């Protein structure tokens, strides 16, 4: 089975186009389909002095692997020419259009999975479009009420109860209902997508020392522990709430298939320290497979040829693996 993998390079002024051209040099046993402006990719390849052949995606043609130095292409034109490192609100609609095309292609069965390069949330918002990130965008596009952000590096998987929120808003956002829905999505995805029988999940507390029996906060007692008890009654294997600083140690992590962190900067610094440059962002709960790089647009590196494609390669490998498991 040759998976059909859609690739969105993301912000055209960032490193995404460069990483897409670099990853094309390796070839793939998947059909790797870039949803992008063809001129942008060709100009990027010319600047990097790398070969690039853009292959047409013919309706009804047999699915073929991707030869080295090439990408299949589904064209979406830029509004204006992009310069490395120079953001422009004019191209924000282009970025969103590529995401729409990719998501819709996954939803209607044209693609088996989606790999996304980094976007710049700020410039999209400056263009007048409320945009908090890929994760939320794809959830709305797919019409699902809840998705979960999980990052993976080597043998560590970290999922988040809350994602892109100011720290002052995190406590109020952690309700019993939200905690239960996020944990169930994580559990179901580990079973169905990753083929893990009876996954073991370690759950972080919100406060230092997991609240220290109420002396450092009562969220663990009043919200987290009751929610976990209800989930255990449904058969989920959960341990916690545990202090994050002890849960994220090798002896503790050895007991778990995934960790559930309460907020973005509780879990992701550990994950990125362990595997930055080779970590993968995976959206759980969508009706299609979506993986992404673990880094941003790196405007300071754009055009230099120095950006590493390690995370994009890892995201592609993860997408292919999940697509193959799904189709078995």
């Amino acid at each position: 089975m040759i998976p059909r993998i859609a690739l969105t390079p993301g912000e055209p002024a960032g490193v995404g186009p460069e990483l897409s051209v670099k990853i094309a040099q390796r070839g793939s046993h998947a059909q790797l389909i870039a949803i992008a402006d063809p001129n942008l990719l060709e100009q990027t390849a010319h600047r990097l002095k790398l070969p690039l052949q853009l292959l047409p995606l013919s309706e009804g043609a047999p699915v073929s692997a991707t030869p080295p130095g090439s990408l299949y292409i589904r064209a979406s034109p830029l509004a204006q020419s992009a310069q490395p490192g120079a953001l422009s609100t004019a191209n924000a609609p282009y970025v969103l259009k590529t995401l729409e095309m990719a998501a819709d292609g996954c939803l209607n069965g044209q693609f088996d999975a989606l790999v996304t390069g980094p976007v710049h949330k700020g410039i999209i918002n400056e263009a007048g479009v409320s945009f908090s990130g890929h994760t939320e965008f794809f959830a709305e596009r797919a019409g699902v009420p809840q998705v979960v952000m999980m990052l993976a590096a080597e043998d560590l998987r970290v999922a988040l109860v809350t994602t892109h929120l100011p720290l002052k808003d995190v406590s109020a956002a952690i309700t019993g209902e939200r905690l239960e829905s996020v944990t169930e999505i994580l559990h179901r995805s580990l079973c169905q997508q990753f083929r893990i029988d009876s996954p073991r999940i370690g759950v972080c507390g919100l406060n230092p020392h997991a609240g220290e029996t109420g002396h450092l906060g009562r969220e663990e007692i009043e919200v987290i522990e009751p929610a976990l008890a209800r989930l255990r009654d449904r058969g989920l294997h959960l341990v916690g709430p545990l202090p994050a600083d002890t849960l994220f140690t090798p002896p503790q992590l050895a007991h778990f298939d995934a960790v559930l962190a309460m907020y973005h900067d509780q879990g992701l610094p550990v994950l990125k320290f362990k595997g930055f440059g080779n970590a993968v962002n995976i959206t759980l709960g969508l009706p299609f497979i979506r993986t992404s790089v673990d880094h941003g647009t790196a405007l300071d590196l754009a055009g230099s040829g120095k950006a590493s494609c390690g995370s994009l390669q890892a995201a592609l490998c993860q997408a292919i693996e999940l697509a193959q498991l799904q189709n078995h």
Side-chain angles (χ1 to χ4, degrees):
M1 173 258 182
I2 299 175
R4 300 158 299 172
I5 310 294
L7 169 65
T8 55
E11 168 55 48
V15 294
E18 178 177 320
L19 300 182
S20 301
V21 170
K22 286 184 175 181
I23 207 169
Q25 305 308 306
R26 308 180 181 203
S28 176
H29 62 274
Q31 185 174 56
L32 188 54
I33 305 148
I35 301 176
D37 187 306
N39 291 329
L40 171 66
L41 295 178
E42 289 170 344
Q43 290 164 6
T44 302
H46 179 74
R47 187 174 61 249
L48 296 175
K49 297 181 172 58
L50 292 174
L52 182 66
Q53 182 181 13
L54 297 179
L55 305 172
L57 194 63
S58 303
E59 193 71 31
V63 178
S64 303
T66 309
S70 64
L71 289 168
Y72 287 87
I73 186 73
R74 177 156 291 175
S76 180
L78 283 166
Q80 67 178 39
S81 179
Q83 302 302 317
L87 294 171
S88 170
T89 55
N91 281 326
Y94 157 81
V95 174
L96 295 175
K97 182 64 176 176
T98 64
L99 301 185
E100 290 172 1
M101 292 170 63
D104 292 350
C106 288
L107 290 168
N108 65 28
Q110 294 176 36
F111 310 131
D112 296 303
L114 166 60
V115 178
T116 58
V119 298
H120 195 285
K121 292 187 279 287
I123 200 66
I124 296 173
N125 282 279
E126 285 181 31
V129 180
S130 179
F131 182 85
S132 57
H134 277 114
T135 303
E136 298 82 0
F137 178 90
F138 290 133
E140 182 177 353
R141 193 76 181 174
V144 295
Q146 178 78 57
V147 293
V148 174
M149 178 188 290
M150 184 177 80
L151 271 80
E154 300 176 23
D155 56 350
L156 176 61
R157 301 182 186 95
V158 179
L160 303 177
V161 177
T162 63
T163 53
H164 301 123
L165 286 178
L167 193 56
K168 66 182 178 61
D169 297 334
V170 168
S171 177
I174 299 173
T175 63
E177 181 182 10
R178 182 180 184 87
L179 186 54
E180 287 183 57
S181 65
V182 167
T183 308
E184 287 182 324
I185 290 170
L186 172 59
H187 172 84
R188 185 167 60 250
S189 297
L190 291 172
C191 292
Q192 295 177 356
Q193 286 188 283
F194 291 85
R195 301 294 197 266
I196 298 173
D197 294 328
S198 187
R200 303 159 299 166
I201 301 171
V203 182
C204 295
L206 173 64
N207 297 295
H209 303 176
E212 205 165 272
T213 63
H215 295 290
L216 293 176
R218 297 194 58 81
E219 289 89 348
E220 286 78 9
I221 294 171
E222 295 174 0
V223 179
I224 300 174
E225 289 177 0
L228 298 186
R230 292 191 293 271
L231 290 162
R232 290 189 191 101
D233 288 343
R234 297 173 208 163
L236 276 67
H237 186 166
L238 308 171
V239 179
L242 299 172
D245 60 347
T246 54
L247 175 51
F248 282 112
T249 59
Q252 286 285 346
L253 290 173
H255 297 294
F256 302 114
D257 297 298
V259 171
L260 184 62
M262 291 294 125
Y263 58 95
H264 190 281
D265 281 15
Q266 181 182 57
L268 298 197
V270 180
L271 187 289
K272 292 194 177 186
F273 179 78
K274 181 178 179 68
F276 186 74
N278 294 292
V280 182
N281 184 349
I282 307 165
T283 305
L284 308 179
L286 288 171
F288 56 84
I289 296 162
R290 180 258 170 165
T291 67
S292 186
V293 294
D294 71 339
H295 57 75
T297 53
L299 296 172
D300 56 327
L301 288 178
S304 70
K306 297 178 180 178
S308 168
C309 61
S311 182
L312 185 60
Q313 180 65 40
L316 175 59
C317 290
Q318 181 72 86
I320 293 171
E321 180 182 340
L322 292 175
Q324 290 175 330
L325 285 172
Q326 178 177 269
N327 285 286
H328 275 319

